Amino acid sequence: MKIGFIGLGNMGTPMAQNLIKAGYHLQVYNRTIQKADDLDQASITKCKSPAEAAANVPFVVTMLSEDEILKEAVSGEAGLLHSLQKGGVHISMSTISPETSQLLHGLHQQAGSHYIAAPVFGRPEAAAAKKLFVCTSGGAKAKEMARPILEALGQGIYDFGETPGGANVVKIAGNFMILASLEMMAEAFTLAEKNGLDRAAVANFFGATLFNAPIYQNYGKLIANKQYQPVGFKASLGLKDARLAVKLSQTSQTPMPLAMLAHNRLLTSIAKGDGDKDWVEAFGKGVAEDAGV
Amino acid sequence: MKIGFIGLGNMGTPMAQNLIKAGYHLQVYNRTIQKADDLDQASITKCKSPAEAAANVPFVVTMLSEDEILKEAVSGEAGLLHSLQKGGVHISMSTISPETSQLLHGLHQQAGSHYIAAPVFGRPEAAAAKKLFVCTSGGAKAKEMARPILEALGQGIYDFGETPGGANVVKIAGNFMILASLEMMAEAFTLAEKNGLDRAAVANFFGATLFNAPIYQNYGKLIANKQYQPVGFKASLGLKDARLAVKLSQTSQTPMPLAMLAHNRLLTSIAKGDGDKDWVEAFGKGVAEDAGV
Amino acid sequence: MKIGFIGLGNMGTPMAQNLIKAGYHLQVYNRTIQKADDLDQASITKCKSPAEAAANVPFVVTMLSEDEILKEAVSGEAGLLHSLQKGGVHISMSTISPETSQLLHGLHQQAGSHYIAAPVFGRPEAAAAKKLFVCTSGGAKAKEMARPILEALGQGIYDFGETPGGANVVKIAGNFMILASLEMMAEAFTLAEKNGLDRAAVANFFGATLFNAPIYQNYGKLIANKQYQPVGFKASLGLKDARLAVKLSQTSQTPMPLAMLAHNRLLTSIAKGDGDKDWVEAFGKGVAEDAGV
Amino acid sequence: MKIGFIGLGNMGTPMAQNLIKAGYHLQVYNRTIQKADDLDQASITKCKSPAEAAANVPFVVTMLSEDEILKEAVSGEAGLLHSLQKGGVHISMSTISPETSQLLHGLHQQAGSHYIAAPVFGRPEAAAAKKLFVCTSGGAKAKEMARPILEALGQGIYDFGETPGGANVVKIAGNFMILASLEMMAEAFTLAEKNGLDRAAVANFFGATLFNAPIYQNYGKLIANKQYQPVGFKASLGLKDARLAVKLSQTSQTPMPLAMLAHNRLLTSIAKGDGDKDWVEAFGKGVAEDAGV
């Protein structure tokens, strides 16, 4: 089956590879189309616009990093909205605001096509290993139709109802929880260090006992060892996520002091020139520097 | 073997029961000695003072809730220091400041006895199930001698070196991490609720995926369901732990904005008259009320 | 001289009255034009659109409450940009983001007209008493031309250079400082109250000594006496200002934890349903309630 | 008249000079008695202990920097309590906790002497210029007796009732307000700078208009110009004041997030090694560095 695929970034590329492995032929579009050279050429058709990628297929997946870029790819001059067939489904998988999902849902509805939000949790390695967690929201029928595609990408699909932006809220809440966890570990391990303890021993203990979840084990090790290379996810992208949380806190009138705190930790890091460094460093180094170590 | 046991609170009682099961005869002391009625009477000797409980035994365990009460039980007029035999070991298991451990270590050293810190993680149910995690610090030989006793109480012993207060730092850091996690979940689930999602669905998702550690599963369920009965741990005791974290942050010059935030959440709850309610409520209800839900 | 005047809200109306007193004839526009009934009818011409208000005059003053409304009044279908004469000056006096000033400056430049930002500090009473402080930024010549108009409105003009949005930054910074001062007084007076002191005595002392500035004397009295009626400025408008500060903090990469704190105090008040109450109440009541009084 | 005077630090010395000018003969005690060499030798008697300084006089003034040092000077082995005559008055003028005032009040009561708290606002220059603001609390008769002494030291006396520690609460609240103001200005001026404005122009504007109180004019200039030399008041002493505010917030159950924020700003500065630098630098430099400027 042919489907459209738009956005070949760090996450999009391994996801496209998994779809190819699952037997799909992809009409791919990316701003710098050279990124498509890494894919099996027999299984893809390179396209010159989102509209071309979405032409004559029942599904188009988008994995674009910014709300504005996604909106342009949907309703811009060469947007997918103009070519996606009636009854076709746009599977929107990147981290965006629920507001944008609501807006795009409306546009699709007018055009006779469908929109579902399907943001994912997991880093590029998880995407490659088909270990993403997929959250969905949108019309029940469209979600049902999209299921085989989503199953080819992740280890589990979790549904959050029919409101278009529901899954985006969960994604933003989850990212906030990760940021909060980084701050929490950075404070705890720095407290330990300043009291004469070995950061790694403390991190190992918590990762093996009370906090034995991958997030604490993996990020905990990086923070404990002050090991911020190689860069897995840039601080500037982390701030984008934090800003989504702050904005959602504002629009839904949910005071979130901890979200503000995590946001400012990232903003500080970026203001100091470390926007291209790993987001974990923003927390690990930020807290340690404030403590003079 | 006979050992002393001081402090029959919510935690101390199941711990004493496990020591009895392991074959120890306990010389118990508690301010209200009626608490000892729940223990197997053939396995205990009721004592009238800490000194009496520590007389003629190689070990005395303390599980008292406050630094000041512990200090009095050690070096007060009828304190255990006066009766504990030369070479005897005081196993100090409650949540106290490392400063107090340092002080008591010094007193024991002068008296020819030993002091080790062995604070535990786990609620009363975990204590009853012998599932506590025990952190230790202090002299290597004393820790080695105390090992069988600690093994009768928990599922694992984690050592943090010879500085007397090391394990107390870990305990305070861990409690801070739990408080921070409560704030984090309360904010995330309230954000979800205010955006039209089901709190429980969101909590279940995170507990099953990224945050699949008991803390997130158990406390997450309580916060998601706004279920704050029965009271497992009082907010006022939670504040005591938060104050230990704030104090340690001050004495070790480790700025901890998240610790301050969690501290103030508890302080607010208590100022409003909810000190006897569950500490989880302080976070869950506190965040929700600020969001008008 | 005839000039245009757009926006007859709580601030705009007394400002229009002062311009009339100074001898200007106003071409007024307001969404609900009945507001113009309070003005001297001989000195005004009621207009049906911003374009009409700006036709054939050398100056047009805007005093509109939101960035989006202002943008529409300038460049919308019936916007002032379409009628303002070449060389005419748009004096933009409300609280908006510097980004919007930059944008409008560009539009005016293309159209051959001028834009200056001239936001003011002062409540409606100060506007009526000609006691506003006016901050200006924009082209030197346009500012010089506008001077007589601004002098008719305030007690002092303070210039902040030629960058279009400079004065808006000062206005946002000043509003932030007021919000921070409200939080500060609320915390201080509540601390005093909870320690058995009389809030008013403490407020009087500080207003008479270290903090003898009108802000501390006037708002201090309201907070001390918990007197939040009548409503001078709504909490929802205060939040608008706080959001401008948060946004400017983000776009200029300036971490401002205190701005975040003040923002959340207002957000909490509004989430609880008090958006139409006085902004001072958000702080005064918010802090007191958290302290259980 | 002879009176005792204990504590010749930066504040105590100019205060002692003013008492001498007012005609008092001082029995002075200071840990390093050489400090007394700066005083008119004919008007003082150097003493070897607090007890000696308080012997045979109706009043003894203390100006010591720490609660513990003051307690020792009162009730220690050579404390003033042992020599102060029946009916004598201890005027306690330094920044201490209300708890300490309560304690000392009790000790004096038992001994048949009186205790009043009389902390002051003002820097050493203000002390020299007799421009201190004096806050008082304690027994009415003792305050009345002490009035001439206090009038010789400041420009105004403000009473806060008979509870011994009342004036200490006001002093702590005021110091908190100053710290909060420093944070507020540092954030506002840094926001201005990062948006291309001149910090000094912004500070001048606010100091001349809305915030025309000495605190904003004087500290505002220092923060605007990033001028942190010479050191007027050390960051480490500022932290002592912030800790008193945090502690009072805890004991009186008054959540004070802004106090926490200011506390951490100072703690960060000190952790980074700047404890001996000016407290204004902790805020000015701290905020600017976080913003990358």
Side-chain angles (χ1 to χ4, degrees), chain C residues 2-44:
Chain C
K2 278 193 184 176
I3 61 177
F5 194 97
I6 297 170
L8 294 172
N10 289 343
M11 290 295 291
T13 298
M15 287 164 68
Q17 281 164 334
N18 279 327
L19 289 172
I20 289 169
K21 271 188 218 160
Y24 292 98
H25 183 95
L26 305 187
Q27 298 187 169
V28 301
Y29 170 74
N30 195 59
R31 210 177 35 154
T32 50
I33 194 64
Q34 292 84 335
K35 289 279 182 76
D37 295 347
D38 295 342
L39 301 175
D40 173 29
Q41 299 299 303
S43 303
I44 64 166

Side-chain angles (χ1 to χ4, degrees), chain D residues 155-193:
Chain D
Q155 61 173 303
I157 302 173
Y158 298 80
D159 188 56
F160 293 94
E162 307 219 348
T163 307
N168 303 118
V169 172
V170 176
K171 173 65 179 158
I172 291 170
N175 282 358
F176 153 66
M177 287 174 73
I178 297 172
L179 296 173
S181 299
L182 298 179
E183 173 72 23
M184 170 182 124
M185 287 188 281
E187 291 190 16
F189 301 166
T190 303
L191 181 72
E193 177 182 1

Side-chain angles (χ1 to χ4, degrees), chain D residues 1 116 188 261 274:
Chain D
M1 191 206 284
I116 67 169
L261 171 52
D274 288 348

Side-chain angles (χ1 to χ4, degrees), chain B residues 60 62 70 74 80 84 88-92 104 108 114-116:
Chain B
V60 59
T62 55
L70 174 60
V74 174
L80 62 88
L84 188 61
V89 180
H90 171 191
I91 307 173
S92 172
L104 298 182
H108 276 289
H114 302 287
Y115 173 90
I116 67 168

Side-chain angles (χ1 to χ4, degrees), chain C residues 121 133 135 158 160 166 169-170 173-174 176-178 180-181 183-185 187-188 190-192 194-195 197 201-202 205-206 209-216 248-249 252-259 261 265 290-291, chain D residues 121 133 135 158 160 166 169-170 173-174 176-178 180-181 183-185 187-188 190-192 194-195 197 201-202 205-206 209-216 248-249 252-259 261 265 290-291:
Chain C
F121 284 99
F133 297 111
C135 298
Y158 298 81
F160 293 95
V169 173
V170 176
F176 152 67
M177 287 174 72
I178 298 171
S181 298
E183 172 73 23
M184 170 182 124
M185 286 188 282
E187 292 189 15
T190 304
L191 181 73
K194 292 215 62 174
N195 281 280
L197 293 171
V202 173
F205 167 63
F206 286 122
T209 57
L210 283 77
F211 294 87
N212 59 341
I215 280 188
Y216 296 99
L248 195 56
S249 150
S252 66
Q253 299 184 348
T254 312
M256 295 177 73
L258 180 43
L261 171 52
R265 186 69 73 188
D290 280 356
Chain D
F121 283 99
F133 297 111
C135 298
Y158 298 80
F160 293 94
V169 172
V170 176
F176 153 66
M177 287 174 73
I178 297 172
S181 299
E183 173 72 23
M184 170 182 124
M185 287 188 281
E187 291 190 16
T190 303
L191 181 72
K194 291 216 62 175
N195 281 280
L197 293 171
V202 173
F205 167 64
F206 286 122
T209 58
L210 285 76
F211 294 88
N212 58 341
I215 279 187
Y216 296 99
L248 195 56
S249 150
S252 66
Q253 299 186 348
T254 313
M256 296 177 74
L258 180 42
L261 171 52
R265 187 70 73 187
D290 280 355

